[in-house]
Amino acid sequence: MNGILPLLAVTAGVTAANLYYAQPLLADMARAFDATPGAIGLVTTAAQLGFATGLLLVTPLADSYDRRRLILGAATAGMLALIGVGLAPTLPVLLIASYLLGILTITPQLCVPYAAALADDRTRGRSVGLVVSGLLVGILLSRTVSGALGSRFGWRAPFLVAAAATAVLIVVLARLLQPQLPPRRVPYRELLRSLPKIVANLPPLRRHAVLGAFAFAAFSVFWTTLPFRLAAPPLHYGSEVAGLFGLLGVAGAFAAQLAGRLTDRYGSRWVNGGGIAVVAISYAVLAAAGHTLLGLGLGIVLLDFGVQGNHVSNQTRILGLDDSLRNRLNTIYMVAFFLGGAVGSAVGSWSWSRWGWAGVTACGGAFGVAGVIAFGLLPGAAQSRPLVTSESIS
């Protein structure tokens, strides 16, 4: 298991990056296609909506089929979609290709349940935390690499380089990853029909899905608008600097591992609440000092730390609810998570176009505060119904 977990972490990082290469390049894309910030912001919204679609329609299959084969298939399809984005000739084609890339970038959410299945209850938080840390490092480095390549070779280069890197990863996975079969085969129609029943019967799942959605909405508001904030007065920086800011979010990778260990030791509730509170606090910092590089940097550290702490505690909790439903539980949670991200991207672009940085920080902060309120109001584990069995669900 020790050798597989790092491989899963790398896989999650390399493939999760696909959804974020565009963020530092939005200003460059807008110039290339002569598009407004609101229109070009739909590139990230399309990718996140696509990802939610892929999660809903594809990832439940891992509760019925070999996860190794699904991971390899998803990675291969994602590689082809990256090529499509990198070669898109017009904005409408780019939006369609971004949506397809989102649908096909589901590999990380196959890796997390794979890792959880390798662990027992005492170590599940650490296993999930390690893979999520790899996922986060991939996201952060994607912005840095994308900004650097984009500033030198144009906005298309990062997507084509990522396709080549994914091809190498596929070869390694095919050699090292072992099959992981579910307890029993469930027909695809039953997998999809079971999702509403799972939501209805598991209040803890509903609670953590809402918290994750609010946190990721706040996260996406910031990262979608950062290139425009950096390009505007008084900063006047380009895509390379926007990408370099991603390195500051490495704090979030440490937060993911720390949150996993704290969740194993103390339970998820207070790790969860603390994370969403830090998200709200980060926007107070960004509102007060977001006109300076130092203020932006501090806000990024707090935002990434809070989002990832909240996210790991959410996933650790839901993945322990029922082993036989693990991928469907993760599907429901991640669909809500990325729908929140898609809303955050759209709201962030719209707020920047209408009200500038003040509107961005107000909207992002509102998502964080809404998460804090939801944490206080939504029922927790002590108020949950008895866990539903896989037989009654599927």
Side-chain angles (χ1 to χ4, degrees), residues 61-126:
L61 289 170
D63 279 339
S64 189
Y65 296 92
D66 178 16
R67 287 175 183 148
R68 175 186 181 273
R69 294 182 64 184
L70 289 172
I71 288 172
L72 289 171
T76 302
M79 175 191 68
L80 297 175
L82 282 166
I83 296 172
V85 172
L87 299 179
T90 65
L91 181 57
V93 173
L94 177 62
L95 292 174
I96 294 170
S98 296
Y99 179 73
L100 292 175
L101 178 62
I103 291 176
L104 297 169
T105 307
I106 58 168
T107 306
Q109 301 313 316
L110 298 171
C111 291
V112 173
Y114 191 109
L118 296 175
D120 56 27
D121 291 341
R122 296 173 300 170
T123 62
R124 184 169 292 117
R126 275 170 281 181

Side-chain angles (χ1 to χ4, degrees), residues 24 147-148 151 226 230 236-246 293:
S151 68
L226 177 62
L230 289 172
H236 302 290
Y237 292 108
S239 61
E240 186 169 15
V241 173
L244 289 173
F245 263 89
L293 292 180

Side-chain angles (χ1 to χ4, degrees), residues 198-211:
I198 295 172
V199 174
N201 283 277
L202 295 175
L205 174 61
R206 298 198 298 270
R207 169 190 174 85
H208 290 289
V210 170
L211 294 175

Side-chain angles (χ1 to χ4, degrees), residues 6 21 28 31 41 65 90 92 131 180 187 190 219 238 245 258 267 350 365 391:
Y21 289 124
D28 295 338
R31 287 190 291 270
Y65 296 92
T90 65
V131 177
Q180 189 181 84
E190 290 186 26
F219 185 85
F245 263 89
L258 177 61
W350 177 75
E391 288 77 13

Side-chain angles (χ1 to χ4, degrees), residues 9-319:
V10 171
T11 302
V14 170
T15 53
N18 295 349
L19 295 177
Y20 302 93
Y21 289 124
Q23 288 183 343
L25 305 171
L26 290 176
D28 295 338
M29 289 179 175
R31 287 190 291 270
F33 291 110
D34 193 24
T36 65
I40 207 67
L42 293 175
V43 172
T44 55
T45 300
Q48 289 167 339
L49 287 174
F51 186 61
T53 303
L55 285 169
L56 183 63
L57 299 180
V58 181
T59 55
L61 289 170
D63 279 339
S64 189
Y65 296 92
D66 178 16
R67 287 175 183 148
R68 175 186 181 273
R69 294 182 64 184
L70 289 172
I71 288 172
L72 289 171
T76 302
M79 175 191 68
L80 297 175
L82 282 166
I83 296 172
V85 172
L87 299 179
T90 65
L91 181 57
V93 173
L94 177 62
L95 292 174
I96 294 170
S98 296
Y99 179 73
L100 292 175
L101 178 62
I103 291 176
L104 297 169
T105 307
I106 58 168
T107 306
Q109 301 313 316
L110 298 171
C111 291
V112 173
Y114 191 109
L118 296 175
D120 56 27
D121 291 341
R122 296 173 300 170
T123 62
R124 184 169 292 117
R126 275 170 281 181
S127 297
V128 170
L130 176 61
V131 177
V132 172
S133 293
L135 184 156
L136 177 59
V137 169
I139 292 172
L140 299 173
L141 292 180
S142 73
R143 298 188 181 106
T144 303
V145 171
S146 180
L149 288 175
S151 68
R152 289 168 173 78
F153 305 109
W155 69 264
R156 299 177 188 275
F159 297 98
L160 300 177
V161 171
T166 304
V168 174
L169 177 65
I170 291 167
V171 173
V172 176
L173 287 169
R175 290 178 61 88
L176 300 180
L177 203 63
Q178 299 298 312
Q180 189 181 84
L181 300 173
R184 68 187 186 94
R185 179 69 62 88
V186 181
Y188 182 66
R189 181 178 297 180
E190 290 186 26
L191 288 172
L192 295 184
R193 281 175 20 189
S194 71
L195 297 178
K197 297 178 184 178
I198 295 172
V199 174
N201 283 277
L202 295 175
L205 174 61
R206 298 198 298 270
R207 169 190 174 85
H208 290 289
V210 170
L211 294 175
F214 279 131
F216 198 53
F219 185 85
S220 297
V221 165
F222 174 80
W223 284 105
T224 299
T225 57
L226 177 62
F228 302 112
R229 167 69 275 187
L230 289 172
L235 298 176
H236 302 290
Y237 292 108
S239 61
E240 186 169 15
V241 173
L244 289 173
F245 263 89
L247 292 177
L248 294 175
V250 170
F254 294 108
Q257 292 195 54
L258 177 61
R261 293 180 181 275
L262 292 175
T263 299
D264 285 339
R265 185 168 182 178
Y266 299 110
S268 65
R269 180 170 175 77
W270 296 111
V271 177
N272 194 250
I276 197 70
V278 171
V279 171
I281 292 168
S282 72
Y283 269 97
V285 173
L286 290 168
H291 60 287
T292 68
L293 292 180
L294 180 61
L296 285 172
L298 179 58
I300 287 171
V301 170
L302 291 172
L303 178 62
D304 282 0
F305 198 93
V307 170
Q308 296 308 319
N310 175 265
H311 180 49
V312 170
S313 60
N314 285 336
Q315 284 195 303
T316 301
R317 176 73 175 100
I318 66 166
L319 291 173

